[in-house]
């Protein structure tokens, strides 16, 4: 059933087709019809389209007086659309950050959920040759209560030409305001701040105070140990969330996590405490984490650390269930006996609740969601502009291979954690 709200002021009469009116204090909301695959379309001049295709290594806002933005053939009022991302900037299929004037309401992946969105990302998945990595990771993180953002596969077009399969993800910087937060940051390397958004509200807390509170997570690390370290860190960041993210990262062999997490601030017991939103899981199923053979990204709070091989990491932390120690917080958790024991306890509880059906259900969902896209050859041909091309056969093989890999990895983790296993 289609729901569409159209309100057109005319001199003599109003035409209303399928009215569904949502009122808020600031703006109207429009519920867009759900098709087998929602289709977003950007219309710009041919010159702008060519510039987008050919631009490299830079983010920018698209400026075009004739720009229009559509969802399922219905125009949506847009405030701003920007080219975003890091590695995908060098590919023809760019990723986009979309800011609307009025929110849309769109159905979820199963059709039984409706989400109100005003700002979101359209991620091109150009680095993932079968488009499954982020979806698998988000599904597991969501199951553990660590992925709060809305996401789904969509098609993206430009000037009537398909751009292929995209992953729509709710904008973290909109989500944090809905939670009553005033400040969100994306962590950078060396506990820096890669990006941040500040919306002052009733707490009368300055941007500098939020930054200082985040920095305190790291200034505590080299000076405290055991109970004192746990109390200091847990007062500043939700360590239960962070432990769960680390556990999923270990299960998925996530090689890139230092700058792929958001921290958003909430007031708890009259103090600033950060919660997290994981981000960008293109680099899962990696043989080793990104710090191997690389010196520039590894934290330096505990001195200079360089790992020529993955074995060098094992030699330093032992046979611990942490995939990456590039960031100093992860390193501290690995090296402090109490923090690691608490992390392993969280991991044990999380893994104990999982069985093979977890992956069977998850991969069945992914297959159901992606099948309509892989059945459309025009969409899949767009992968020729990505890091690697895809195909129906490659996708089906990869789905089977990765499900088997995770099922096997789960059983090995249960053995290491001394959890009863069926093997």
């Amino acid at each position: 059933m289609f729901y569409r709200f159209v309100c057109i002021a005319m001199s003599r009469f109003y035409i209303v087709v399928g009215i569904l009116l949502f009122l808020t204090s600031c703006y109207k909301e429009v519920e867009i019809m759900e098709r087998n695959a929602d289709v977003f379309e950007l219309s710009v001049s041919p010159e702008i389209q060519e510039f987008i295709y050919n631009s490299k290594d830079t983010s920018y806002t698209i400026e075009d007086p004739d720009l229009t933005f559509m969802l399922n053939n219905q125009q949506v009022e847009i405030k701003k659309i920007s080219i975003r991302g890091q590695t995908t900037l060098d590919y023809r299929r760019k990723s986009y950050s979309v800011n609307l004037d009025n929110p849309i309401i769109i159905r979820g992946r199963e059709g039984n959920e409706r989400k109100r969105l005003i700002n979101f990302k359209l991620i091109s998945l150009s680095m993932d040759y079968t488009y499954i990595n982020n979806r698998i990771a988000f599904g597991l993180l969501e199951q553990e209560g660590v992925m709060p953002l809305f996401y789904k596969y969509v098609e993206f077009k430009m000037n009537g030409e398909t751009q292929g399969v995209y992953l729509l993800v709710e904008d973290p910087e909109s989500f944090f305001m809905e939670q009553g937060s005033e400040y969100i940051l994306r962590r950078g390397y060396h506990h820096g701040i890669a990006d941040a958004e500040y919306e002052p509200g009733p707490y009368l807390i300055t941007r500098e105070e939020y930054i200082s509170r985040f920095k305190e997570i790291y200034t505590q690390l080299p000076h405290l140990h055991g109970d004192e370290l746990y109390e200091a860190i847990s007062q500043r960041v939700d360590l239960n969330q962070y432990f769960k993210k680390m556990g999923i990262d270990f299960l998925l062999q996530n090689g890139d996590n230092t700058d792929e997490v958001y921290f958003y601030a909430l007031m708890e017991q009259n103090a600033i405490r950060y919660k997290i939103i994981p981000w960008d899981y293109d680099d899962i199923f990696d043989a080793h984490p990104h710090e191997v053979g690389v010196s520039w990204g590894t934290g330096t709070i505990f001195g200079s650390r360089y790992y020529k091989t993955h074995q060098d990491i094992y030699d330093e932390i032992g046979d611990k269930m942490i995939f990456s120690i590039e960031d100093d917080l992860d390193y501290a958790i690995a090296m402090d006996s109490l923090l690691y024991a608490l992390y392993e306890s969280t991991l044990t509880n999380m893994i104990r609740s999982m069985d093979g059906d977890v992956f069977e259900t998850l991969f069945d969902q992914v297959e159901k969601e992606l099948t309509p896209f892989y059945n459309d050859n025009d969409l899949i041909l767009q992968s020729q502009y990505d890091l690697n091309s895809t195909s129906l056969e490659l996708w089906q093989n990869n789905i089977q291979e990765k499900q088997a890999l995770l099922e096997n990895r789960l059983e090995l983790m249960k053995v290491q954690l001394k959890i009863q296993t069926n093997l």
Side-chain angles (χ1 to χ4, degrees), residues 49 52-54 56 88-94 96 126 158 161-163 166 382 385:
Q49 179 178 8
I52 292 171
Y53 283 168
N54 295 323
K56 305 286 185 183
T88 60
L89 293 175
D90 291 335
Y91 294 90
R92 169 170 157 156
R93 290 198 327 121
K94 302 294 195 294
Y96 299 83
S126 297
M158 192 185 306
E161 301 174 3
T162 188
Q163 306 298 298
Y166 275 67
Q382 297 304 305
Y385 302 111

Side-chain angles (χ1 to χ4, degrees), residues 25-59:
S25 59
C26 300
Y27 36 61
K28 64 179 180 292
E29 294 179 353
V30 181
E31 181 163 1
I32 304 298
M33 68 177 184
E34 171 76 358
R35 293 169 47 177
N36 287 337
D38 287 305
V39 181
F40 289 86
E41 181 169 356
L42 173 67
S43 295
V44 292
S45 69
E47 293 77 15
I48 294 294
Q49 179 178 8
E50 196 64 22
F51 178 80
I52 292 171
Y53 283 168
N54 295 323
S55 61
K56 305 286 185 183
D57 197 31
T58 184
S59 300

Side-chain angles (χ1 to χ4, degrees), residues 99-165:
N99 303 93
L100 304 178
D101 280 324
N102 299 311
I104 57 172
I105 294 180
I106 189 168
R107 291 183 187 176
R109 299 181 300 278
E110 299 297 324
N112 56 1
E113 170 194 11
R114 294 179 182 179
K115 181 65 181 179
R116 172 182 169 276
L117 294 172
I118 193 165
N119 300 321
F120 52 89
K121 314 292 188 185
L122 292 171
I123 301 174
S124 67
L125 307 173
S126 297
M127 308 299 291
D128 177 3
Y129 80 104
T130 60
Y131 311 136
I132 66 172
N133 286 5
N134 270 290
R135 175 63 182 89
I136 290 168
F138 287 176
L140 290 172
L141 290 160
E142 186 176 36
Q143 177 182 298
E144 297 302 325
V146 192
M147 180 56 185
L149 304 180
F150 176 87
Y151 58 92
K152 70 178 294 187
Y153 290 113
V154 298
E155 179 185 358
F156 182 63
K157 291 183 175 182
M158 192 185 306
N159 292 344
E161 301 174 3
T162 188
Q163 306 298 298
V165 182

Side-chain angles (χ1 to χ4, degrees), residues 189-190 291 294-300 305-307 325-326 328:
Y189 288 96
H190 303 285
E291 65 262 31
V294 176
S295 59
W296 59 265
T298 308
T300 58
R305 296 190 286 120
Y306 175 71
Y307 307 103
I325 54 171
E326 183 178 50
D328 282 316

Side-chain angles (χ1 to χ4, degrees), residues 16 24 52 65 100 108 155 175 177 182 185 190 226 262 264 324-325 332-333 338 341 352 370 381 418:
V16 180
T24 69
I52 292 171
L100 304 178
E155 179 185 358
F175 173 84
M177 288 187 286
E182 298 179 346
L185 64 90
H190 303 285
Y262 285 88
Y264 67 97
S324 172
I325 54 171
I333 293 168
L338 177 65
R352 182 178 284 120
L370 271 176
L381 280 176
K418 297 180 172 59

Side-chain angles (χ1 to χ4, degrees), residues 250-267:
F250 182 79
L251 173 64
L252 294 176
Q253 298 172 276
N254 180 27
D256 182 17
N257 61 29
T258 295
D259 63 338
E260 301 296 359
V261 60
Y262 285 88
F263 290 69
Y264 67 97
L266 293 176
M267 290 297 292

